[in-house]
Amino acid sequence: MTTHHDTSWAAETEPAAPAPITPADVADAARLVSFGLQAKLLPARDAEYAELVRRHREDPPFARLADAIATGMGLVVLEVSPRAGMAVAAAEDSLFAVRMGDYSRRAASESTDRFLHGLAHLAVAAMAFPRPEDLADDGYLGRITVNGVDSFVRQACRRLEEQADADGANTDPASDAPGLEAAWRVWARRTATGATKDARRLSGSTIGIVAKAVLFLVDSGFLQKVSDDSGGTYRTTARYQLQVRDLAGSAAMAELLDLGIVPVSDGTASLLPPDTGDELVADAGLPFHSL
């Protein structure tokens, strides 16, 4: 007696073997990472980029391959989406890392100016996304102006001076004092604009420092220029929102927000208007935060 086995049933129940990774798949995944490194490029402007983003979102093996390539290059994948593309951040030991110290050394020769450049970047981030829900909302667009950022930092300087007076500690700190303590005095004493012989603003003025910080963010694909109003008006990008989400937990950001100049508690408060008794440049009113 011969027994016949139904092989068709067994074939139907066995899971399909995953398709092998091909050199073309590796090339496509690496291509996606290379797109992610082009900070100003968005999927909406490049059909190939848009297709690779779609594949990353719909093809898990391809997504794992692209993420692994990014990791091997010292990159952290923040998000892959049509709005941001492949948004990546460089790990500290990555070849692609642009450290604030490297940037500030290029932007300024004096160590105190380097500290002020860091404060300018911190202020831009705080003003662009002043509330937790702004960072959480993928559709939110922050908006800042160069003059408004300087006005905001000067408000922070006044608040810190008031706190120092109340604490009886209003004396010059050591040059290596932590946090904002060493920076606010320098910023408050620095001229807002200054001028060269041909009427250009001084690069070492506080407005000049903010302008350099903003241009660095534009070159990095984090901000986009809207107009020349108020020293330059800029709106945020999805890539910058993802970066600031990482920054939001830092001690320095918390220290700046805790001054109460950028209310973040109930989601309804807006930025406080600048005082009129300090040195302010023309059109230094604080900016809107959405378009």
Side-chain angles (χ1 to χ4, degrees):
M1 179 177 176
T2 304
T3 301
H4 299 281
H5 297 282
D6 188 351
T7 57
S8 63
W9 179 84
E12 290 177 359
T13 58
E14 292 178 0
I21 296 174
T22 67
D25 294 328
V26 176
D28 286 344
R31 179 71 169 157
L32 176 59
V33 175
S34 73
F35 279 131
L37 289 169
Q38 300 177 56
K40 295 183 180 180
L41 183 63
L42 294 174
R45 299 175 183 172
D46 190 289
E48 182 185 5
Y49 192 6
E51 172 58 25
L52 290 173
V53 167
R54 181 203 62 77
R55 185 176 175 188
H56 185 283
R57 292 166 65 84
E58 298 178 2
D59 184 349
F62 178 75
R64 289 193 294 270
L65 177 61
D67 291 352
I69 290 174
T71 299
M73 296 172 66
L75 301 170
V76 177
V77 179
L78 301 176
E79 179 177 297
V80 180
S81 67
R83 77 180 188 112
M86 187 174 210
V88 295
E92 291 185 3
D93 58 348
S94 172
L95 177 65
F96 301 99
V98 179
R99 296 175 175 81
M100 183 57 68
D102 297 335
Y103 154 76
S104 62
R105 277 191 290 274
R106 293 196 301 268
S109 58
E110 298 294 330
S111 59
T112 52
D113 282 5
R114 296 171 194 167
F115 200 16
L116 295 183
H117 277 274
L119 181 55
H121 276 273
L122 188 64
V124 170
M127 293 196 70
F129 303 100
R131 303 169 301 184
E133 53 267 42
D134 300 334
L135 278 177
D137 182 1
D138 287 347
Y140 181 85
L141 287 176
R143 184 170 174 170
I144 63 100
T145 70
V146 169
N147 292 354
V149 170
D150 180 60
S151 177
F152 164 57
V153 177
R154 289 183 180 276
Q155 278 188 274
C157 292
R158 286 192 294 273
R159 187 64 55 85
L160 287 165
E161 184 175 15
E162 291 168 3
Q163 291 181 358
D165 285 336
D167 296 338
N170 199 359
T171 57
D172 286 340
S175 60
D176 59 349
L180 301 177
E181 177 66 14
W184 70 262
R185 302 173 192 273
V186 181
W187 193 287
R189 294 169 181 168
R190 188 70 60 90
T191 178
T193 54
T196 60
K197 292 182 179 179
D198 57 1
R200 290 176 298 154
R201 65 189 175 203
L202 290 170
S203 61
S205 68
T206 56
I207 289 288
I209 288 171
V210 173
K212 282 185 179 180
V214 167
L215 289 177
F216 173 80
L217 294 172
V218 170
D219 290 341
S220 301
F222 295 148
L223 295 178
Q224 294 176 342
K225 190 169 185 178
V226 175
S227 72
D228 291 324
D229 296 340
S230 298
T233 300
Y234 300 82
R235 64 186 175 191
T236 61
T237 65
R239 185 181 291 260
Y240 189 46
Q241 186 180 47
L242 294 170
Q243 292 281 347
V244 177
R245 281 176 184 170
D246 284 345
L247 174 66
S250 70
M253 180 71 121
E255 187 177 354
L256 188 59
L257 294 178
D258 284 346
L259 294 175
I261 297 168
V262 183
V264 296
S265 58
D266 62 3
T268 60
S270 61
L271 289 171
L272 301 178
D275 296 338
T276 57
D278 200 0
E279 175 189 15
L280 293 176
V281 296
D283 301 321
L286 298 179
F288 300 106
H289 285 286
S290 61
L291 296 180

